[in-house]
Amino acid sequence: EAAILDTGAGQLAQLLKDNTDRNRTSPFAFTGNKFEFRAVGSSANIGIPMTVLNAAVAEVITESTAFINEKMSGGADVATALTELTKKWYANSQNVVFNGDGYSQEWVDEAAKRGLPNLRTTVDALIEFHKKENHEFLLNLGVYRETEMETQYQVSFERYITWRDIEFMTQKKMVERIVLPAAFSYMKELKEIPGGCRDILVKKIDDLTNKLYSTVEEINSTVENFGHDEEANAKTIASSLMEKSETVLDLTAKLEDIIPDHAWNIPTYYDLLFVR
């Protein structure tokens, strides 16, 4: 028999306690008698997300208290005030409630129909959060001062750019010191073997290495010519350089499929998935 969820308010309708597993695709999964926040990445510090969440809850509690006091001052009893409060918040939050697969295209399409934003990059999220209407509750509650919000904004961009720069430079070194030498070495082997198909394979590897090198150089040249506007630099990384970095990955994977193990000096995908 399902247990009754104790809301602590006898005036509200009785609800059955959820005895199913939580929706693991939801950033705010309801787990029976509480919500579970699951959106912070494994490398992220939870300090700022927890600060924002706690401040948001505090703001709602403050607004709810004021709402109930206003209703009761106007003559409403506790039950009526709580019922009106429930209606208010249910209507307010209904637009973001989705009980399906949060990783699916279905939710992307549904969210678009509801007019919800789809912030696909860190930069998009930072810009949105920097808007006064989206962080003003932190200022009103005294959690942050305006100067602190601005500092947090600038530091976040600087950190994002630094991390990406390290990733790009690491990728560049791996390509120039490991991937390209492996490709050149195998092409040299092939040229010593007679046969027509050899020339086809050599040309294929040559085309891939040329594209790989030029893409890496494009990324490196763009980063080296960054100006002092960190927001603009971050936008360039998110909108352009990340796509080029993924192209480097795809080209490297194609070379890995061609070059034999004896010439490939780093673990292959097969090695990583099935340790030999």
Side-chain angles (χ1 to χ4, degrees):
E1 185 177 345
I4 300 297
L5 178 63
D6 181 10
T7 62
Q11 296 86 352
L12 300 180
Q14 289 187 332
L15 302 173
L16 294 180
K17 186 179 292 187
D18 183 14
N19 61 0
T20 61
D21 193 15
R22 63 191 181 278
N23 184 344
R24 295 175 182 273
T25 70
S26 171
F28 283 97
F30 184 65
T31 61
N33 61 351
K34 65 184 183 302
F35 285 92
E36 176 185 83
F37 180 57
R38 306 183 64 247
V40 178
S42 60
S43 63
N45 187 310
I46 67 170
I48 292 176
M50 289 303 298
T51 298
V52 173
L53 284 174
N54 286 331
V57 170
E59 184 197 36
V60 170
I61 291 175
T62 301
E63 188 173 338
S64 297
T65 302
F67 182 90
I68 291 172
N69 288 337
E70 180 183 352
K71 290 294 181 182
M72 294 183 69
S73 297
D77 57 18
V78 174
T80 301
L82 287 175
T83 300
E84 290 299 314
L85 180 66
T86 302
K87 290 179 180 179
K88 166 185 167 66
W89 289 131
Y90 183 78
N92 180 270
S93 62
Q94 189 62 24
N95 209 31
V96 298
V97 174
F98 182 73
N99 294 316
D101 183 354
Y103 297 158
S104 67
Q105 185 62 38
E106 177 193 0
W107 171 231
V108 174
D109 297 338
E110 178 61 27
K113 290 179 185 177
R114 298 182 187 186
L116 299 175
N118 185 9
L119 308 177
R120 298 180 59 83
T121 71
T122 297
V123 176
D124 291 338
L126 288 174
I127 291 173
E128 195 67 22
F129 188 59
H130 188 242
K131 294 178 181 177
K132 185 70 174 287
E133 64 267 25
N134 292 330
H135 69 251
E136 192 167 21
F137 72 100
L138 294 169
L139 305 178
N140 294 339
L141 291 170
V143 176
Y144 286 111
R145 292 189 291 267
E146 187 67 62
T147 53
E148 291 173 327
M149 286 300 306
E150 189 62 32
T151 299
Q152 181 62 47
Y153 182 64
Q154 297 301 330
V155 168
S156 295
F157 271 122
E158 182 181 352
R159 183 169 57 233
Y160 174 81
I161 294 168
T162 300
W163 285 353
R164 293 306 187 199
D165 185 40
I166 292 171
E167 291 171 355
F168 293 148
M169 292 304 101
T170 301
Q171 188 178 55
K172 179 177 185 292
K173 288 180 179 179
M174 291 183 69
V175 167
E176 293 179 346
R177 297 180 182 182
I178 301 173
V179 178
L180 291 179
F184 298 150
S185 175
Y186 186 49
M187 280 195 291
K188 183 179 179 182
E189 284 185 38
L190 289 172
K191 289 176 181 178
E192 295 174 354
I193 302 173
C197 64
R198 170 207 63 187
D199 295 333
I200 297 174
L201 195 52
V202 168
K203 184 179 186 308
K204 185 175 182 179
I205 297 173
D206 189 50
D207 289 343
L208 288 171
T209 54
N210 286 332
K211 291 177 183 176
L212 181 59
Y213 180 76
S214 63
T215 306
V216 167
E217 284 301 302
E218 283 179 32
I219 296 172
N220 184 59
S221 176
T222 302
V223 172
E224 286 185 343
N225 288 289
F226 273 162
H228 297 295
D229 187 340
E230 292 189 331
E231 181 176 323
N233 296 340
K235 286 180 179 179
T236 299
I237 290 173
S239 64
S240 174
L241 298 190
M242 288 303 297
E243 183 178 352
K244 286 183 170 63
S245 181
E246 290 178 3
T247 298
V248 170
L249 177 63
D250 292 339
L251 292 169
T252 301
K254 289 178 181 178
L255 285 170
E256 180 186 301
D257 287 340
I258 299 172
I259 299 172
D261 289 348
H262 73 268
W264 194 257
N265 297 319
I266 53 177
T268 64
Y269 280 122
Y270 184 88
D271 294 329
L272 296 173
L273 292 172
F274 308 101
V275 178
R276 293 188 288 185

